[in-house]
Amino acid sequence: MANPGYGKRPAGDEDPHADPDFAHLSPREAEIAVFVDHLDDGHAMGHKALAAHHPRYGQQAVRTSLNRLAEAGHLRWIREHITVEDHTMRWVTRTYWSRTRRSEAWWEEFARERDGRIVPAGHRPGLARTDEPELPEPETEPQSEAKTSYLTLAGIREADPRMSLSESDCRSLASLAGEWLSRGATPQDITRAVTEGLPATVNNPGGLARNRLESKMPPKKAKIRQKAAPRRARVTRAVICCMSCDADELTTTIKGGMCPDCRAEFEAAVAAEEAGQLDAGYVPDTFLAAPDAHAVYEWVDVPRRAAEVRAAAGLRPRTERAL
């Protein structure tokens, strides 16, 4: 699972599961799509985390497949600016998944609709789960305990006329009756304790009631520690991010879940595969979850090799990209 509150989030309004869900994808992308679709909400969605749990594919394969799933309309990164009840603010990036393939316009509208949504801001899975925009109505305040105590004492005279407590008695004994109620007793428990086994004549109802309320006081109930209610937050802005480099639509154009530079790199790789320069059926060892332990591998300078591939495709080096 991702850190609480992050990870896979459903885009919602899904079609039911069906065999053709990912028929439009290549076999590898379809396999990874099924894998992602069955992950629990809140599961980490980085290519390294997914590769660590996928039985067949490693990090490079998963990263490429995530880009293709975004291109196909199943996946988007959306960065949300939230303001919490305590007036703190922060940006968070969510990974939204849709089993149903979505158009570019659908995802753009989905991001716009995030603005103004209320989300629970406690550190737990589901931070990005949307609730209704309106805050819940406050609960009706219960009758005050002091009033309940007074009315209970005043009503004892109806249970037994020998214990007709005066208004002054009721006021002075209200704190004792309130303690009974705070320990879980009911008004009926108080009446029973004060009136059971009375002598034939009661000369001082107030004094007798005090004595009984003090001597028969129920034990204190163990307090149950209540968890603090999760704070709520409001999404005040939402922007779509690039799946590969984390650039967002505030600084560049995002199409198919990718910025122009990452899209060019992605399309160059697709073109090379379609031209037969890459065997679509061949899976390099570095794409596998567990390379052959007995094979001998040549050490590769990955950054230099990546720069060479980009240069061969006519792409600028990464260092020239604007931050």
Side-chain angles (χ1 to χ4, degrees):
M1 299 298 286
N3 290 332
Y6 296 83
K8 176 188 172 186
R9 306 307 319 160
D13 193 25
E14 299 262 55
D15 293 336
H17 283 282
D19 290 339
D21 282 340
F22 306 114
H24 55 284
L25 299 171
S26 69
R28 187 181 73 197
E29 275 65 59
E31 181 178 343
I32 291 180
V34 171
F35 177 76
V36 170
D37 192 45
H38 285 80
L39 294 175
D40 294 332
D41 293 349
H43 195 287
M45 285 290 289
H47 64 280
K48 293 182 180 179
L50 294 179
H53 291 87
H54 197 282
R56 276 168 43 82
Y57 294 112
Q59 294 180 17
Q60 295 184 51
V62 172
R63 183 180 182 183
T64 301
S65 294
L66 289 178
N67 284 336
R68 292 187 175 180
L69 292 176
E71 170 76 7
H74 294 286
L75 195 63
R76 284 296 185 277
W77 278 1
I78 296 180
R79 183 172 293 124
E80 299 174 1
H81 184 268
I82 63 172
T83 301
V84 190
E85 285 178 328
D86 60 6
H87 305 298
T88 59
M89 294 177 287
R90 64 179 179 270
W91 285 94
V92 293
T93 303
R94 314 290 182 213
T95 305
Y96 285 98
W97 168 258
S98 174
R99 181 187 322 115
T100 304
R101 60 188 309 193
R102 308 293 189 178
S103 67
E104 191 74 21
W106 189 96
W107 280 113
E108 290 175 357
E109 181 62 21
F110 176 82
R112 303 296 85 82
E113 289 179 351
R114 298 294 304 161
D115 190 0
R117 296 285 183 164
I118 298 295
V119 295
H123 293 292
R124 60 178 186 177
L127 177 61
R129 185 175 59 252
T130 304
D131 296 330
E132 292 300 320
E134 296 80 12
L135 292 173
E137 293 293 329
E139 295 182 0
T140 304
E141 287 293 328
Q143 188 180 40
S144 71
E145 191 173 272
K147 185 175 180 181
T148 302
S149 301
Y150 181 91
L151 293 176
T152 299
L153 294 167
I156 289 177
R157 72 184 68 184
E158 298 178 6
D160 194 315
R162 290 172 291 180
M163 292 298 294
S164 296
L165 300 175
S166 67
E167 182 179 348
S168 176
D169 290 333
C170 292
R171 286 200 303 270
S172 66
L173 295 173
S175 60
L176 275 173
E179 182 64 22
W180 275 66
L181 295 174
S182 70
R183 297 186 181 198
T186 65
Q188 293 75 20
D189 293 332
I190 294 173
T191 300
R192 190 178 305 113
V194 172
T195 59
E196 279 184 345
L198 290 175
T201 303
V202 177
N203 297 321
N204 183 3
L208 180 59
R210 178 178 295 278
N211 180 273
R212 290 193 167 195
L213 289 173
E214 290 177 344
S215 62
K216 296 184 178 182
M217 180 73 70
K220 289 185 177 180
K221 295 179 66 176
K223 292 184 178 180
I224 300 175
R225 187 174 182 179
Q226 300 291 334
K227 291 184 178 179
R231 294 171 300 161
R232 294 166 68 82
R234 184 182 297 275
V235 178
T236 54
R237 192 169 191 181
V239 294
I240 298 175
C241 305
C242 177
M243 292 290 298
S244 294
C245 70
D246 207 31
D248 60 51
E249 59 184 336
L250 296 178
T251 57
T252 187
T253 301
I254 305 297
K255 182 179 178 182
M258 287 175 278
C259 69
D261 279 356
C262 291
R263 170 165 292 281
E265 185 175 350
F266 169 74
E267 290 177 349
V270 171
E273 185 173 303
E274 291 177 349
Q277 297 175 15
L278 297 177
D279 183 356
Y282 169 68
V283 181
D285 288 316
T286 52
F287 274 57
L288 294 173
D292 185 356
H294 300 289
V296 177
Y297 299 103
E298 177 186 359
W299 181 84
V300 176
D301 185 335
V302 175
R304 187 179 69 180
R305 179 66 60 82
E308 292 172 352
V309 172
R310 290 181 63 83
L315 301 176
R316 290 178 295 167
R318 286 282 186 182
T319 53
E320 295 182 9
R321 293 180 55 187
L323 298 178

